[in-house]
Amino acid sequence: MTEHEPDETRFPPALMPPDPFPEPGGDDPLEQIWPVESAPAPAEDGGGDPAPSAPELATAAQQDSATRIGVWGSPASGKTTFLGALRLAALDPAGPYGRWQVVPSDDASEAFLVETSRQLAIDRVFPPATQQVRSYAWRFRGDVSGTAFGRRRLWRARPSPRMEFDLSVLDVPGGAYEDLKGGSIATRSIEHLARAQGLVYLFDPLREAQDSDSFAYLNGTLTRITRICMEENRLDGPYLPHHIAVCLTKFDDPEVFDRARRGGWTDLGRGGVPVVCDPAGFFDWLADDLHGSTMRLVGQTLRANFHPARIRYFTTSSIGFGTMPGGSIDLKRFGNVNVVDGDYRIVGPLSPYNVMDPLVALLLGLRGGGRP
């Protein structure tokens, strides 16, 4: 697609975070997204919220540490780059979800983080695609103090500001998911996903626009996960028990971002970074825009298998948009990738976009139960 100006692009004043203290009886944006169980407001002695005690923090950490999140996607969906960018995204102290530390559980997981961070941030190259089975696990330890998600809302119990979860990945070549053709490799990976509580599904719109085969890498996987959950009596009526974050990847690519602008889906977020306020709507619109693709079938399959309250959609980019000196984004030259001697190279500073967000959203959804 050639770059062009959209007919109508909406860039209103920078979006403000949702009000963490809504009026009683009103619609609470945070509650709609991440439900929290009702509880009486704790008695307060003095002006501020009492700090959680050590046992409370320990209990919350103990509950969260049992949470396991799995990641999967079709070939070229950017899974390896997404995993490599996670630690870089977590290092941003100004992120809307507070401060996070990523701790590898073993030598292989540690080496992966160190190597991919260097490739992305210093060498400005993309990590090679997965060619063999690798098992990785990282412990994420976060503190959301001072953010909208760490404050007590009216009529709600004060949530613990400390969070922990395990990101456990059996990294296999994306082709293993194609209608279960991966044999024992696919079986191991799908069993791993079935026993996670949260899932991150990476959908590559560029591959879908070219090959229209994304459904083949989703259908067999979800069919097998459903079978496993049925055998273990874990199905919730017609739905899988998992929470899922559906990530529409490579949002920085002109082919994807230009379509979003042309359709009027982009707004201006904090720091002047373009955002899509209704990523689920954009996903459906893009499915229609990619006429003849299997994207609409992918969306229908996801909604048929997961409870509506447990699905979140995101537009993501592991490398972020290209920036000018000073950090602002030039909307006429926003791409952050060049092709040099046939290889894709990252042009500017790395600024992962919506990479930590899906994981934190899953954790908060799991904390609140994720049901109306």
Side-chain angles (χ1 to χ4, degrees):
M1 177 186 294
T2 58
E3 190 168 333
H4 60 278
E5 290 294 325
D7 295 332
E8 179 183 2
T9 304
R10 298 179 288 113
F11 285 95
L15 298 174
M16 300 300 291
D19 181 7
F21 302 105
E23 292 296 325
D27 292 331
D28 182 353
L30 287 178
E31 184 175 343
Q32 294 171 10
I33 298 175
W34 291 290
V36 178
E37 296 176 357
S38 299
E44 296 184 9
D45 183 13
D49 290 330
S53 64
E56 288 174 333
L57 290 179
T59 300
Q62 207 170 33
Q63 293 172 343
D64 287 337
S65 64
T67 301
R68 186 168 68 182
I69 295 175
V71 181
W72 103 95
S74 59
S77 62
K79 178 160 55 75
T80 304
T81 305
F82 179 88
L83 293 172
L86 272 173
R87 182 167 182 266
L88 298 175
L91 292 176
D92 182 8
Y97 297 114
R99 296 174 180 269
W100 289 84
Q101 182 61 271
V102 185
V103 185
S105 64
D106 52 43
D107 290 346
S109 304
E110 180 180 81
F112 177 89
L113 279 188
V114 173
E115 179 62 21
T116 54
S117 295
R118 178 181 181 84
Q119 290 171 332
L120 290 169
I122 298 177
D123 299 337
R124 305 283 178 90
V125 298
F126 291 94
T130 301
Q131 299 297 328
Q132 53 187 320
V133 180
R134 289 280 189 266
S135 179
Y136 303 119
W138 301 279
R139 171 65 57 84
F140 284 71
R141 300 169 61 91
D143 185 343
V144 296
S145 300
T147 73
F149 307 104
R151 302 171 189 153
R152 180 176 65 81
R153 287 167 278 158
L154 292 179
W155 320 115
R156 300 290 186 183
R158 184 183 192 275
S160 169
R162 301 291 178 86
M163 297 183 179
E164 290 191 17
F165 67 91
D166 293 326
L167 179 64
S168 180
V169 178
L170 187 63
D171 196 17
V172 302
Y177 295 113
E178 185 182 5
D179 288 335
L180 304 179
K181 293 180 181 178
S184 60
I185 293 178
T187 299
R188 285 177 57 196
S189 180
I190 293 171
E191 288 177 350
H192 184 85
L193 295 173
R195 293 183 173 94
Q197 291 82 37
L199 298 173
V200 176
Y201 171 63
L202 303 178
F203 179 86
D204 179 6
L206 297 180
R207 177 188 174 90
E208 179 63 12
Q210 177 178 335
D211 298 330
S212 296
D213 62 355
S214 297
F215 179 67
Y217 298 92
L218 176 75
N219 184 38
T221 299
L222 283 185
T223 301
R224 179 64 59 81
I225 290 176
T226 302
R227 174 183 162 189
I228 293 172
C229 290
M230 171 69 85
E231 292 171 350
E232 297 177 352
N233 196 29
R234 294 171 53 215
L235 288 180
D236 180 13
Y239 303 114
L240 291 168
H242 306 74
H243 289 242
I244 184 170
V246 180
C247 298
L248 200 152
T249 63
K250 304 176 183 177
F251 187 55
D252 64 287
D253 190 282
E255 176 73 14
V256 181
F257 186 59
D258 272 344
R259 287 179 185 266
R261 296 179 71 192
R262 174 165 54 83
W265 293 96
T266 51
D267 283 312
L268 189 64
R270 50 191 264 151
V273 177
V275 298
V276 174
C277 295
D278 180 12
F282 176 55
F283 187 98
D284 292 337
W285 177 88
L286 188 59
D288 288 336
D289 202 47
L290 295 178
H291 184 67
S293 76
T294 65
M295 187 173 178
R296 177 157 292 280
L297 192 56
V298 167
Q300 292 172 344
T301 303
L302 291 168
R303 291 178 175 120
N305 282 274
F306 297 94
H307 192 283
R310 295 178 182 150
I311 304 178
R312 289 290 313 280
Y313 290 82
F314 296 86
T315 52
T316 68
S317 169
S318 296
I319 62 173
F321 293 94
T323 58
M324 298 183 294
S328 60
I329 296 174
D330 183 353
L331 293 176
K332 295 184 181 296
R333 304 177 62 86
F334 53 83
N336 204 14
V337 175
N338 274 343
V339 179
V340 180
D341 296 329
D343 295 325
Y344 290 96
R345 303 295 297 266
I346 301 170
V347 178
L350 208 70
S351 181
Y353 169 85
N354 272 3
V355 171
M356 272 296 296
D357 307 50
L359 300 181
V360 178
L362 285 175
L363 181 60
L364 292 170
L366 286 163
R367 271 190 163 194
R371 291 293 298 272

